[in-house]
Amino acid sequence: MTSAPSSTTAGENDERVADRTAYEAVIERLSKASVDKHWEPYRDIPWDDPEFRVDQADPRWELPEVDKLGGHPWYRSRSPEVRARIGLWRVATAMKIGLQFENLLKRGLLNYAYRLPNGSPEFRYVYHETIEEGHHGMMFQEFVNRTKLPIRGMPRPLSLVAQIAPWIPLISTELFFVFVLGGEDPIDHVQRKVLKDGRAHHPLEETIMRIHIAEEARHISFARHYLRSRVPRMPRHRRMLLSVISPVVLGVMARIMLAPPGPMIRHFRVPAGVVAEIYRDNPAARREIRDSVGRTRELCAEIGLLNVVSRKVWQAMGIWAEPRR
Ligand SMILES: [Fe+2]
Ligand SMILES: [Fe+2]
């Protein structure tokens, strides 16, 4: 390797120290915020309040007309009770898949933290995040239990493949945090959209979403800062590899998070034509998948993960849009 002129090296070192200091300040701020502002499901959610009771026929579970399935004539011609149960089934499935993803995520975070050296600021933050994700898992599962519906999460083959995720940090911590964003960003995107749709939501659903969005903002921030500080310094060949694998991970994750629940389709006998029309041949469904990874796509552009080859992979995965900057 050719060494750079010493004056430049000194300048770069200064910059690196400044970068490192700013990065560590962010982690410290996130750790402090985790202490100051956090929620516990069995302390902060009034599960047994009659207002929070989950009734399968509650019209507040019905999907709105702007929803892809909710606006379809097949859905609109069901009875109000069936419409409500389908809506509830979908919310509960998203929570079940969310808690399965977060289970993999927690195990991965612990594998990452296991190898961190003494004094590493990431250690404390990653433990805060793991604890919060533990609370999210309990909160989501409690909701699923209270629906009394036979909710299943990820399809079994996918769930088996997903068991490799906790081991990704042993190969590449950068790829692991891309995987983290791949799950967290689409969930966050959907939850924020639901809260902003101007409808009256069930108070339990609304409380869970608000808690989740508030704590996830820190998790997403950590993953983004981590990647921002690490990726530009990766050796060129590893960065190239990461740039190509990232869109594959992100495309698969977004589809897992936003796909129609198979057991729901079978239970309510949703005709195959309707499913295809809503989820497969629908430009709005494709746009939703593309939009749900929008922020991560912008980040990849910013940290040097877009090149001629990786761009092709983003396109092939159906999640490409020209970055804004
Ligand atoms: Fe979470
Ligand atoms: Fe999270």
Side-chain angles (χ1 to χ4, degrees):
M1 211 177 86
T2 322
S3 39
S6 58
S7 57
T8 320
T9 313
E12 276 174 4
N13 280 343
D14 283 351
E15 217 168 87
R16 278 189 192 181
V17 171
D19 278 1
R20 181 77 202 163
T21 314
Y23 167 71
E24 288 186 0
V26 169
I27 301 184
E28 209 172 295
R29 183 169 57 71
L30 291 173
S31 288
K32 192 176 175 306
S34 307
V35 176
D36 295 342
K37 219 171 154 200
H38 67 267
W39 291 265
E40 286 190 32
Y42 293 107
R43 185 192 64 193
D44 301 318
I45 301 177
W47 297 97
D48 296 320
D49 185 321
E51 292 276 302
F52 279 61
R53 213 176 71 82
V54 178
D55 172 5
Q56 293 184 3
D58 191 322
R60 287 174 296 186
W61 300 122
E62 276 193 38
L63 302 171
E65 291 217 28
V66 291
D67 182 271
K68 297 187 290 286
L69 175 59
H72 196 279
W74 178 86
Y75 180 81
R76 301 254 57 99
S77 62
R78 302 300 99 188
S79 70
E81 290 77 22
V82 170
R83 288 206 298 268
R85 282 184 76 206
I86 291 177
L88 177 59
W89 198 300
R90 218 174 60 174
V91 173
T93 301
M95 291 201 197
K96 185 77 188 182
I97 293 176
L99 79 87
Q100 289 177 325
F101 159 73
E102 292 187 343
N103 180 301
L104 300 163
L105 164 63
K106 279 181 284 243
R107 287 187 270 154
L109 287 174
L110 289 175
N111 277 336
Y112 163 63
Y114 192 93
R115 298 189 304 163
L116 285 174
N118 295 340
S120 156
E122 286 92 351
F123 182 91
R124 174 180 161 189
Y125 178 71
V126 163
Y127 266 70
H128 279 307
E129 181 165 327
T130 309
I131 291 162
E132 286 170 6
E133 294 295 19
H135 286 153
H136 298 173
M138 285 194 279
M139 167 168 97
F140 289 159
Q141 186 62 58
E142 186 63 43
F143 179 89
V144 170
N145 296 348
R146 282 168 188 254
T147 66
K148 303 214 167 48
L149 291 171
I151 300 299
R152 300 244 312 270
M154 288 188 226
R156 193 180 281 266
L158 196 65
S159 183
L160 272 174
V161 176
Q163 300 310 313
I164 56 166
W167 305 103
I168 301 176
L170 273 61
I171 304 159
S172 161
T173 50
E174 292 85 2
L175 179 62
F176 178 69
F177 282 102
V178 168
F179 158 80
V180 170
L181 287 177
E184 291 190 332
D185 241 357
I187 298 179
D188 192 64
H189 175 83
V190 170
Q191 292 185 333
R192 281 176 194 269
K193 229 173 91 176
V194 169
L195 283 189
K196 271 196 263 167
D197 70 5
R199 291 164 56 240
H201 298 288
H202 190 286
L204 181 56
E205 181 194 17
E206 175 139 358
T207 306
I208 289 176
M209 283 194 184
R210 286 195 188 285
I211 291 176
H212 199 244
I213 289 172
E215 295 191 330
E216 284 306 312
R218 287 196 289 268
H219 306 173
I220 292 173
S221 176
F222 174 74
R224 292 173 66 89
H225 278 98
Y226 184 85
L227 290 171
R228 259 196 208 108
S229 93
R230 295 285 292 251
V231 173
R233 275 172 225 161
M234 287 170 86
R236 195 183 288 264
H237 67 283
R238 291 200 61 179
R239 196 166 63 219
M240 183 67 195
L241 205 57
L242 181 67
S243 78
V244 174
I245 301 173
S246 295
V248 177
V249 171
L250 294 169
V252 172
M253 298 292 292
R255 282 177 177 80
I256 295 171
M257 298 299 169
L258 306 175
M264 182 193 93
I265 288 165
R266 289 190 289 278
H267 184 90
F268 294 100
R269 297 200 174 88
V270 187
V274 176
V275 178
E277 221 178 286
I278 296 171
Y279 294 99
R280 244 169 289 142
D281 313 327
N282 186 347
R286 287 198 289 271
R287 195 179 334 115
E288 175 83 7
I289 289 177
R290 219 168 43 229
D291 289 353
S292 76
V293 298
R295 284 198 300 174
T296 310
R297 191 173 51 233
E298 297 289 327
L299 177 73
C300 287
E302 179 193 327
I303 59 181
L305 287 181
L306 287 187
N307 50 60
V308 262
V309 185
S310 71
R311 204 176 284 247
K312 291 254 181 317
V313 185
W314 282 87
Q315 284 162 348
M317 295 304 294
I319 48 172
W320 174 251
E322 209 53 54
R324 268 176 266 131
R325 287 170 298 124

